[in-house]
Amino acid sequence: MHGDIEQSIRKNLQDREYAEEYAASFLNSYIATQIKVIREQRGLTQAELGVLVGTTQAGVSRYENVNYSSWSLKTLVKLAHAFAVRLKVSFEPYGTLADEVIRFDRQRLERIARENDPGIFIQQDQTRGEPCGVVDLGEYKALQGTDWMSKENMGGDIYGSHGNHEGKSSRDVGTGCTYEHGKSSSFGLYSAVGGQV
Amino acid sequence: MIMALSVYDFVDKDGRSVIALWRDGLTKRSQAQFDLKLHMLRVSGWDLCPQLVVGPINKTGHIYKLKVYADVMLRPMLCKGPFDMNSECTFLIGAKEVQGRLIPGPDKAAENRNILLADRTRRVPHAW
């Protein structure tokens, strides 16, 4: 869809000075926008998030500015804890940047919270031998860009385990495996609620 | 849902993009900053990136500024539409901000917008 931009970015990134500035600007824009997107996904106001990370509404507003550049790992870790996600910092080649820019949208910035994360809860349920329902894990894996959902990593075949728990639908409540539509996810996932971590 | 925008540039009487000319006069670092912000606007639309576009900044309520912190405070001005307010925007003039004051001012951007409204040929698709 954005082939014209993609070509232009790749060409301009051949210049080192341009590439460094462009990448830095994207990083700042990415962080600021993702903070706003996940805060909205969690239903938090800027003031409420400020309380969780020990700053003011104005402080959060400063973080949610694509031109803000004074990030510290300490602040980002606090935000990650407030959002119930982990912080990932990674060095990357320039060649992947154009693709990240042209695919920049709200859905790719959203993250499910730990308590709704099937990467934790489903694995645990498998360990206990209590299969729980999963909807479209392949899509989740693709969107998250990880390999944790592989059969090997999961220690068995989870894809056929939608299922009946005590003879009831996997979406039933009160069967030991309770499911609800992932409130925090826009991917249409179902998540196990109430498990122990 | 992707909210991509079609981006246009106002052109001068000789048919030259005022924004392309303005960009050519920037340092490489500033060009990179400006390009990234422009790409974000094109790809994700008006509302996703916080404080990317600010406005309206003039009395008539049609002029916005793209905020770019570069070697200087770059503030190219643009409007929604003006022919399709939902899916397109038009860059009207390049500018910078010095001590809280836009140079040139938003009146010049509004003037270019009025010229465009009277003559649809006074813009071209932005050349990426």
Side-chain angles (χ1 to χ4, degrees), chain A residues 93-192:
Chain A
Y94 282 100
T96 57
L97 183 52
D99 197 51
E100 287 185 43
V101 171
I102 63 169
R103 297 181 197 291
F104 189 79
D105 64 33
R106 177 178 291 274
Q107 199 173 55
R108 285 188 171 82
L109 295 172
E110 289 182 336
R111 295 291 182 272
I112 55 175
R114 187 178 58 87
E115 59 268 27
N116 293 330
D117 191 337
I120 299 170
F121 290 98
I122 289 169
Q123 189 166 20
Q124 183 185 45
D125 288 332
Q126 287 295 300
T127 304
R128 290 200 305 252
E130 296 175 1
C132 291
V134 179
V135 173
D136 204 1
L137 290 172
E139 182 186 9
Y140 177 80
K141 175 188 170 187
L143 288 166
Q144 299 295 319
T146 65
D147 290 322
W148 60 262
M149 199 59 78
S150 69
K151 202 170 170 179
E152 293 75 19
N153 288 343
M154 297 301 290
D157 185 359
I158 61 170
Y159 290 91
S161 64
H162 285 238
N164 286 324
H165 195 82
E166 297 178 3
K168 294 184 180 179
S169 161
S170 62
R171 298 184 191 182
D172 284 353
V173 176
T175 60
C177 276
T178 304
Y179 299 93
E180 65 176 13
H181 207 270
K183 289 175 184 171
S184 301
S185 170
S186 63
F187 307 141
L189 289 166
Y190 288 82
S191 58

Side-chain angles (χ1 to χ4, degrees), chain A residues 8 15 18 21-22 36 67, chain B residues 33 35 37 39 47 128:
Chain A
S8 167
D15 181 284
Y18 182 100
E21 197 66 22
Y22 188 91
K36 186 193 89 160
N67 289 297
Chain B
Q33 289 271 357
D35 288 352
K37 298 292 164 39
H39 295 158
D47 300 322
W128 303 99

Side-chain angles (χ1 to χ4, degrees), chain A residues 1-2 4-5 8-9 12 15 17-18 21-22 25-26 29-30 32-33 36-37 61 64-67 101-106 109, chain B residues 1-2 4-5 23 28-33 35-40 42-44 47-52 67-70 126 128:
Chain A
M1 181 178 181
H2 299 295
D4 46 0
I5 294 182
S8 167
I9 295 171
N12 282 319
D15 181 284
E17 185 183 3
Y18 182 100
E21 197 66 22
Y22 188 91
S25 187
F26 179 69
S29 298
Y30 186 100
T33 306
K36 186 193 89 160
V37 165
S61 178
E64 293 183 5
N65 182 336
V66 292
N67 289 297
V101 171
I102 63 169
R103 297 181 197 291
F104 189 79
D105 64 33
R106 177 178 291 274
L109 295 172
Chain B
M1 183 176 164
I2 297 172
L5 282 178
R23 182 190 178 279
K28 193 150 281 181
R29 284 166 48 89
S30 293
Q31 287 180 354
Q33 289 271 357
D35 288 352
L36 186 275
K37 298 292 164 39
L38 193 53
H39 295 158
M40 302 301 269
R42 160 75 188 274
V43 168
S44 59
D47 300 322
L48 182 61
C49 295
Q51 302 182 53
L52 175 63
K67 292 182 75 172
V68 185
Y69 287 51
H126 183 83
W128 303 99

Side-chain angles (χ1 to χ4, degrees), chain B residues 8-112:
Chain B
Y8 295 86
D9 298 346
F10 181 78
V11 295
D12 63 17
K13 282 182 283 189
D14 298 321
R16 299 174 302 181
S17 159
V18 295
I19 283 295
L21 291 172
W22 174 78
R23 182 190 178 279
D24 287 345
L26 302 176
T27 65
K28 193 150 281 181
R29 284 166 48 89
S30 293
Q31 287 180 354
Q33 289 271 357
F34 169 64
D35 288 352
L36 186 275
K37 298 292 164 39
L38 193 53
H39 295 158
M40 302 301 269
L41 180 65
R42 160 75 188 274
V43 168
S44 59
W46 289 94
D47 300 322
L48 182 61
C49 295
Q51 302 182 53
L52 175 63
V53 179
V54 173
I57 57 170
N58 68 327
K59 292 173 190 169
T60 55
H62 296 298
I63 306 301
Y64 295 77
K65 60 181 179 182
L66 186 75
K67 292 182 75 172
V68 185
Y69 287 51
D71 298 330
V72 294
M73 301 292 109
L74 303 176
R75 299 291 185 267
M77 286 179 269
L78 67 158
C79 64
K80 293 184 178 181
F83 303 112
D84 181 338
M85 304 297 270
N86 295 319
S87 68
E88 63 181 40
C89 67
T90 304
F91 276 84
L92 299 162
I93 196 164
K96 60 183 178 180
E97 193 165 317
V98 180
Q99 295 178 335
R101 188 162 158 264
L102 285 167
I103 304 170
D107 290 350
K108 180 62 183 167
E111 185 183 317
N112 286 350

Side-chain angles (χ1 to χ4, degrees), chain A residues 77-95:
Chain A
V77 167
K78 281 184 186 175
L79 287 161
H81 290 171
F83 291 143
V85 294
R86 69 186 174 94
L87 177 66
K88 177 183 175 184
V89 178
S90 174
F91 295 101
E92 301 291 343
Y94 282 100

